[in-house]
Amino acid sequence: MTKRPEEIALLADSGQLLAQVFGHLDRLDLIGMSTMQINDLVDGLIVHELNARPASKGQYGYAYALNASRNNVVCHGVPSAADILQDGDIVNFDITLEKNGYIADSSKTYLVGEVALPARRLVQTAYEAMWKGIQAVRPGATLGDVGHAIERHARRNGYSVVREYCGHGIGREMHEEPQVLHWGKPRTGLVLREGMVFTIEPMVNQGRRAVRTEDDGWTVVTCDGQLSAQFEHTVAVTASGMRVLTLRSGEKKPH
């Protein structure tokens, strides 16, 4: 479950390539683009410019380089040429990248054009909740500490945290042990050790936490139709605390 220093260095290399992909998306005007256009752009960037592999493509039979989860879609949204991003939308892009045999995983929820204050507040809280979890990571802490920090922040702001999906260990495989729940009790669960690498990726709902999967077998939506937002980073436990392997250039961490 722990990685050697040389493995973490390779994971960090993948993480920084993935950060470049998000840096490219950050510069796009998303209004009027289809989620399939964005998928194709990301696929080409990873393969042809970064000489890497979109790790989700072919995983579990999935055909695309990313998940595009818009508005009330919680996760696993399938890109489509008919899914056109509109002014006022929020959309999460979840992307994985493999380089030299090691995989990085990250996601970000984007504000498309002029987004209403309630949606912007949800997105900001989801971002803060992810960082609350990240900041709880250190040797000797527990996964319960991480999950508790996330859910406490979301609930204090009036939101709920999805429980059906969680973070995960990552390395040569996309999904490794441990499972990283986004709720929990302090000082319970697996004790964190130097060298562990996993994702923290809370999905925060505007309304109830209940979700359902649509008929395509992939797309997960909120049962009440309200918005959902998610952010994700790949994190390594270090001797002194933690290191975010997918940190983007100029990314603003919340205080």
PDB file of all heavy atoms in Angstrom, residues 218-237:
ATOM      1  N   TRP A 218     -23.433   4.490 -16.605  1.00  0.00           N
ATOM      2  CA  TRP A 218     -22.290   5.297 -16.195  1.00  0.00           C
ATOM      3  C   TRP A 218     -22.705   6.534 -15.420  1.00  0.00           C
ATOM      4  O   TRP A 218     -22.217   6.780 -14.319  1.00  0.00           O
ATOM      5  CB  TRP A 218     -21.478   5.748 -17.426  1.00  0.00           C
ATOM      6  CG  TRP A 218     -20.733   4.675 -18.119  1.00  0.00           C
ATOM      7  CD1 TRP A 218     -21.051   4.071 -19.296  1.00  0.00           C
ATOM      8  CD2 TRP A 218     -19.524   4.038 -17.672  1.00  0.00           C
ATOM      9  NE1 TRP A 218     -20.125   3.119 -19.624  1.00  0.00           N
ATOM     10  CE2 TRP A 218     -19.176   3.086 -18.650  1.00  0.00           C
ATOM     11  CE3 TRP A 218     -18.708   4.208 -16.555  1.00  0.00           C
ATOM     12  CZ2 TRP A 218     -18.043   2.285 -18.535  1.00  0.00           C
ATOM     13  CZ3 TRP A 218     -17.572   3.425 -16.444  1.00  0.00           C
ATOM     14  CH2 TRP A 218     -17.250   2.473 -17.417  1.00  0.00           C
ATOM     15  N   THR A 219     -23.604   7.330 -16.005  1.00  0.00           N
ATOM     16  CA  THR A 219     -23.884   8.682 -15.510  1.00  0.00           C
ATOM     17  C   THR A 219     -24.621   8.636 -14.183  1.00  0.00           C
ATOM     18  O   THR A 219     -25.709   8.070 -14.088  1.00  0.00           O
ATOM     19  CB  THR A 219     -24.717   9.460 -16.543  1.00  0.00           C
ATOM     20  OG1 THR A 219     -24.049   9.427 -17.810  1.00  0.00           O
ATOM     21  CG2 THR A 219     -24.900  10.897 -16.105  1.00  0.00           C
ATOM     22  N   VAL A 220     -24.028   9.265 -13.163  1.00  0.00           N
ATOM     23  CA  VAL A 220     -24.618   9.325 -11.827  1.00  0.00           C
ATOM     24  C   VAL A 220     -25.146  10.741 -11.592  1.00  0.00           C
ATOM     25  O   VAL A 220     -24.415  11.713 -11.777  1.00  0.00           O
ATOM     26  CB  VAL A 220     -23.581   8.958 -10.750  1.00  0.00           C
ATOM     27  CG1 VAL A 220     -24.180   9.069  -9.351  1.00  0.00           C
ATOM     28  CG2 VAL A 220     -23.040   7.547 -10.995  1.00  0.00           C
ATOM     29  N   VAL A 221     -26.421  10.856 -11.189  1.00  0.00           N
ATOM     30  CA  VAL A 221     -27.057  12.151 -11.001  1.00  0.00           C
ATOM     31  C   VAL A 221     -27.647  12.250  -9.600  1.00  0.00           C
ATOM     32  O   VAL A 221     -27.873  11.246  -8.925  1.00  0.00           O
ATOM     33  CB  VAL A 221     -28.166  12.396 -12.061  1.00  0.00           C
ATOM     34  CG1 VAL A 221     -27.584  12.393 -13.463  1.00  0.00           C
ATOM     35  CG2 VAL A 221     -29.278  11.359 -11.937  1.00  0.00           C
ATOM     36  N   THR A 222     -27.897  13.477  -9.176  1.00  0.00           N
ATOM     37  CA  THR A 222     -28.583  13.684  -7.899  1.00  0.00           C
ATOM     38  C   THR A 222     -30.044  13.266  -8.044  1.00  0.00           C
ATOM     39  O   THR A 222     -30.681  13.516  -9.063  1.00  0.00           O
ATOM     40  CB  THR A 222     -28.512  15.148  -7.460  1.00  0.00           C
ATOM     41  OG1 THR A 222     -29.086  15.987  -8.477  1.00  0.00           O
ATOM     42  CG2 THR A 222     -27.069  15.592  -7.233  1.00  0.00           C
ATOM     43  N   CYS A 223     -30.582  12.632  -7.017  1.00  0.00           N
ATOM     44  CA  CYS A 223     -31.979  12.196  -7.070  1.00  0.00           C
ATOM     45  C   CYS A 223     -32.941  13.373  -7.058  1.00  0.00           C
ATOM     46  O   CYS A 223     -34.029  13.293  -7.633  1.00  0.00           O
ATOM     47  CB  CYS A 223     -32.279  11.260  -5.895  1.00  0.00           C
ATOM     48  SG  CYS A 223     -31.582   9.614  -6.079  1.00  0.00           S
ATOM     49  N   ASP A 224     -32.558  14.470  -6.409  1.00  0.00           N
ATOM     50  CA  ASP A 224     -33.461  15.613  -6.313  1.00  0.00           C
ATOM     51  C   ASP A 224     -33.254  16.630  -7.435  1.00  0.00           C
ATOM     52  O   ASP A 224     -33.924  17.670  -7.476  1.00  0.00           O
ATOM     53  CB  ASP A 224     -33.341  16.291  -4.948  1.00  0.00           C
ATOM     54  CG  ASP A 224     -31.948  16.810  -4.632  1.00  0.00           C
ATOM     55  OD1 ASP A 224     -31.105  16.877  -5.562  1.00  0.00           O
ATOM     56  OD2 ASP A 224     -31.683  17.142  -3.463  1.00  0.00           O
ATOM     57  N   GLY A 225     -32.346  16.360  -8.356  1.00  0.00           N
ATOM     58  CA  GLY A 225     -32.124  17.253  -9.493  1.00  0.00           C
ATOM     59  C   GLY A 225     -31.303  18.487  -9.186  1.00  0.00           C
ATOM     60  O   GLY A 225     -31.067  19.310 -10.086  1.00  0.00           O
ATOM     61  N   GLN A 226     -30.841  18.624  -7.949  1.00  0.00           N
ATOM     62  CA  GLN A 226     -30.030  19.796  -7.601  1.00  0.00           C
ATOM     63  C   GLN A 226     -28.571  19.582  -8.024  1.00  0.00           C
ATOM     64  O   GLN A 226     -28.158  18.486  -8.404  1.00  0.00           O
ATOM     65  CB  GLN A 226     -30.149  20.085  -6.110  1.00  0.00           C
ATOM     66  CG  GLN A 226     -31.565  20.504  -5.708  1.00  0.00           C
ATOM     67  CD  GLN A 226     -31.585  21.250  -4.389  1.00  0.00           C
ATOM     68  OE1 GLN A 226     -31.007  22.330  -4.261  1.00  0.00           O
ATOM     69  NE2 GLN A 226     -32.263  20.677  -3.397  1.00  0.00           N
ATOM     70  N   LEU A 227     -27.811  20.664  -7.943  1.00  0.00           N
ATOM     71  CA  LEU A 227     -26.443  20.662  -8.454  1.00  0.00           C
ATOM     72  C   LEU A 227     -25.498  19.836  -7.587  1.00  0.00           C
ATOM     73  O   LEU A 227     -25.726  19.645  -6.386  1.00  0.00           O
ATOM     74  CB  LEU A 227     -25.913  22.091  -8.533  1.00  0.00           C
ATOM     75  CG  LEU A 227     -26.657  23.070  -9.441  1.00  0.00           C
ATOM     76  CD1 LEU A 227     -26.041  24.460  -9.307  1.00  0.00           C
ATOM     77  CD2 LEU A 227     -26.646  22.605 -10.890  1.00  0.00           C
ATOM     78  N   SER A 228     -24.406  19.382  -8.227  1.00  0.00           N
ATOM     79  CA  SER A 228     -23.334  18.695  -7.520  1.00  0.00           C
ATOM     80  C   SER A 228     -22.005  19.209  -8.055  1.00  0.00           C
ATOM     81  O   SER A 228     -21.875  19.517  -9.243  1.00  0.00           O
ATOM     82  CB  SER A 228     -23.426  17.185  -7.740  1.00  0.00           C
ATOM     83  OG  SER A 228     -22.456  16.489  -6.973  1.00  0.00           O
ATOM     84  N   ALA A 229     -21.006  19.318  -7.179  1.00  0.00           N
ATOM     85  CA  ALA A 229     -19.672  19.783  -7.575  1.00  0.00           C
ATOM     86  C   ALA A 229     -18.618  18.878  -6.958  1.00  0.00           C
ATOM     87  O   ALA A 229     -18.817  18.310  -5.874  1.00  0.00           O
ATOM     88  CB  ALA A 229     -19.447  21.226  -7.142  1.00  0.00           C
ATOM     89  N   GLN A 230     -17.492  18.752  -7.651  1.00  0.00           N
ATOM     90  CA  GLN A 230     -16.421  17.873  -7.198  1.00  0.00           C
ATOM     91  C   GLN A 230     -15.062  18.455  -7.576  1.00  0.00           C
ATOM     92  O   GLN A 230     -14.910  19.094  -8.612  1.00  0.00           O
ATOM     93  CB  GLN A 230     -16.562  16.488  -7.832  1.00  0.00           C
ATOM     94  CG  GLN A 230     -15.477  15.503  -7.407  1.00  0.00           C
ATOM     95  CD  GLN A 230     -15.497  14.211  -8.205  1.00  0.00           C
ATOM     96  OE1 GLN A 230     -16.081  14.144  -9.280  1.00  0.00           O
ATOM     97  NE2 GLN A 230     -14.871  13.177  -7.686  1.00  0.00           N
ATOM     98  N   PHE A 231     -14.083  18.206  -6.706  1.00  0.00           N
ATOM     99  CA  PHE A 231     -12.680  18.462  -7.006  1.00  0.00           C
ATOM    100  C   PHE A 231     -11.877  17.256  -6.536  1.00  0.00           C
ATOM    101  O   PHE A 231     -12.291  16.537  -5.619  1.00  0.00           O
ATOM    102  CB  PHE A 231     -12.173  19.722  -6.294  1.00  0.00           C
ATOM    103  CG  PHE A 231     -12.707  20.994  -6.888  1.00  0.00           C
ATOM    104  CD1 PHE A 231     -13.935  21.513  -6.494  1.00  0.00           C
ATOM    105  CD2 PHE A 231     -11.985  21.681  -7.848  1.00  0.00           C
ATOM    106  CE1 PHE A 231     -14.439  22.678  -7.050  1.00  0.00           C
ATOM    107  CE2 PHE A 231     -12.473  22.854  -8.412  1.00  0.00           C
ATOM    108  CZ  PHE A 231     -13.707  23.351  -8.005  1.00  0.00           C
ATOM    109  N   GLU A 232     -10.716  17.048  -7.172  1.00  0.00           N
ATOM    110  CA  GLU A 232      -9.898  15.878  -6.846  1.00  0.00           C
ATOM    111  C   GLU A 232      -8.426  16.180  -7.059  1.00  0.00           C
ATOM    112  O   GLU A 232      -8.040  16.799  -8.047  1.00  0.00           O
ATOM    113  CB  GLU A 232     -10.307  14.706  -7.736  1.00  0.00           C
ATOM    114  CG  GLU A 232      -9.442  13.464  -7.578  1.00  0.00           C
ATOM    115  CD  GLU A 232      -9.809  12.368  -8.560  1.00  0.00           C
ATOM    116  OE1 GLU A 232     -10.555  12.647  -9.526  1.00  0.00           O
ATOM    117  OE2 GLU A 232      -9.336  11.237  -8.381  1.00  0.00           O
ATOM    118  N   HIS A 233      -7.614  15.698  -6.116  1.00  0.00           N
ATOM    119  CA  HIS A 233      -6.172  15.690  -6.277  1.00  0.00           C
ATOM    120  C   HIS A 233      -5.615  14.330  -5.858  1.00  0.00           C
ATOM    121  O   HIS A 233      -6.235  13.605  -5.072  1.00  0.00           O
ATOM    122  CB  HIS A 233      -5.511  16.774  -5.423  1.00  0.00           C
ATOM    123  CG  HIS A 233      -5.393  18.102  -6.102  1.00  0.00           C
ATOM    124  ND1 HIS A 233      -4.890  18.266  -7.373  1.00  0.00           N
ATOM    125  CD2 HIS A 233      -5.684  19.375  -5.660  1.00  0.00           C
ATOM    126  CE1 HIS A 233      -4.885  19.553  -7.697  1.00  0.00           C
ATOM    127  NE2 HIS A 233      -5.367  20.238  -6.688  1.00  0.00           N
ATOM    128  N   THR A 234      -4.443  14.003  -6.389  1.00  0.00           N
ATOM    129  CA  THR A 234      -3.678  12.841  -5.949  1.00  0.00           C
ATOM    130  C   THR A 234      -2.648  13.312  -4.931  1.00  0.00           C
ATOM    131  O   THR A 234      -1.906  14.271  -5.193  1.00  0.00           O
ATOM    132  CB  THR A 234      -2.984  12.168  -7.143  1.00  0.00           C
ATOM    133  OG1 THR A 234      -3.970  11.695  -8.067  1.00  0.00           O
ATOM    134  CG2 THR A 234      -2.143  10.988  -6.676  1.00  0.00           C
ATOM    135  N   VAL A 235      -2.619  12.644  -3.782  1.00  0.00           N
ATOM    136  CA  VAL A 235      -1.839  13.110  -2.629  1.00  0.00           C
ATOM    137  C   VAL A 235      -0.919  11.991  -2.140  1.00  0.00           C
ATOM    138  O   VAL A 235      -1.325  10.823  -2.076  1.00  0.00           O
ATOM    139  CB  VAL A 235      -2.784  13.536  -1.485  1.00  0.00           C
ATOM    140  CG1 VAL A 235      -2.000  14.005  -0.265  1.00  0.00           C
ATOM    141  CG2 VAL A 235      -3.733  14.627  -1.964  1.00  0.00           C
ATOM    142  N   ALA A 236       0.306  12.333  -1.776  1.00  0.00           N
ATOM    143  CA  ALA A 236       1.248  11.396  -1.161  1.00  0.00           C
ATOM    144  C   ALA A 236       1.478  11.791   0.294  1.00  0.00           C
ATOM    145  O   ALA A 236       1.601  12.989   0.610  1.00  0.00           O
ATOM    146  CB  ALA A 236       2.569  11.387  -1.915  1.00  0.00           C
ATOM    147  N   VAL A 237       1.541  10.805   1.173  1.00  0.00           N
ATOM    148  CA  VAL A 237       1.892  11.047   2.569  1.00  0.00           C
ATOM    149  C   VAL A 237       3.410  11.119   2.664  1.00  0.00           C
ATOM    150  O   VAL A 237       4.117  10.201   2.228  1.00  0.00           O
ATOM    151  CB  VAL A 237       1.356   9.935   3.483  1.00  0.00           C
ATOM    152  CG1 VAL A 237       1.644  10.270   4.946  1.00  0.00           C
ATOM    153  CG2 VAL A 237      -0.150   9.730   3.276  1.00  0.00           C
TER     154      VAL A 237
END
